[in-house]
Amino acid sequence: MPSPAVPETDLAQIRRWCDNAVLSRVADTLRVEFHRRGRSVTPCESRAPWNPPATEWSHLPLAQLRYRPESGDWSLHWADRNGRWHPYAHGNGQFGSIVELLAEVDDDPSAIFSG
C-alpha cells in the first residue's frame, strides 16, 4: 500500500519559503531549493560552481521536514556532521504545521540549521 502523499498546499508553502530565502541580487550564485523523497522534504542551500570548468552546483541540507499523515502535521530534523538526521529538540517545537516549522528554521534559536 503506497504511503499517503505530502499535501500539495504544504509543498507550495515550502516552495514559496525557498523562493523568498535569498535576495534576488545574489540568485545567480546562491539559491535555496528542496529535494523530496517520499514524505521527507529537505530544503538545501545551493551554491554556484566556484572552480571552473565545474558546472555542478553544491548542495548543503538545511533541515529535513517529515510529513506525518496519521496526525496531519510535520516533524523537524537536523543533520549532524556525518549527514545523519536527528529529531529537533530545541527551540519552539519538533512537531507542527509546515508554516510553524519553517518559521523555526528561520528563527534557528540554537544555530543548528545555519551553523
Side-chain angles (χ1 to χ4, degrees):
M1 177 184 204
S3 62
V6 172
E8 286 299 320
T9 54
D10 288 356
L11 285 177
Q13 184 67 37
I14 295 167
R15 192 171 290 109
R16 278 191 300 277
W17 182 84
C18 290
D19 290 345
N20 293 321
V22 175
L23 297 173
S24 59
R25 69 174 188 241
V26 296
D28 58 335
T29 59
L30 176 68
R31 58 187 178 215
V32 174
E33 304 170 321
F34 69 89
H35 303 278
R36 180 177 164 200
R37 182 175 173 201
R39 295 186 308 224
S40 296
V41 177
T42 307
C44 297
E45 179 183 276
S46 299
R47 292 187 177 266
W50 58 273
N51 190 11
T55 59
E56 294 293 318
W57 284 57
S58 60
H59 303 281
L60 176 67
L62 299 173
Q64 189 172 84
L65 302 151
R66 297 179 185 172
Y67 181 61
R68 303 181 330 147
E70 64 281 354
S71 56
D73 65 357
W74 293 79
S75 62
L76 180 59
H77 302 262
W78 63 276
D80 65 20
R81 66 182 181 178
N82 298 313
R84 292 188 192 107
W85 292 102
H86 304 276
Y88 176 72
H90 308 283
N92 293 320
Q94 177 186 356
F95 305 105
S97 71
I98 199 64
V99 171
E100 293 168 329
L101 296 184
L102 290 173
E104 187 69 17
V105 173
D106 277 339
D107 291 344
D108 199 8
S110 59
I112 204 163
F113 302 115
S114 61

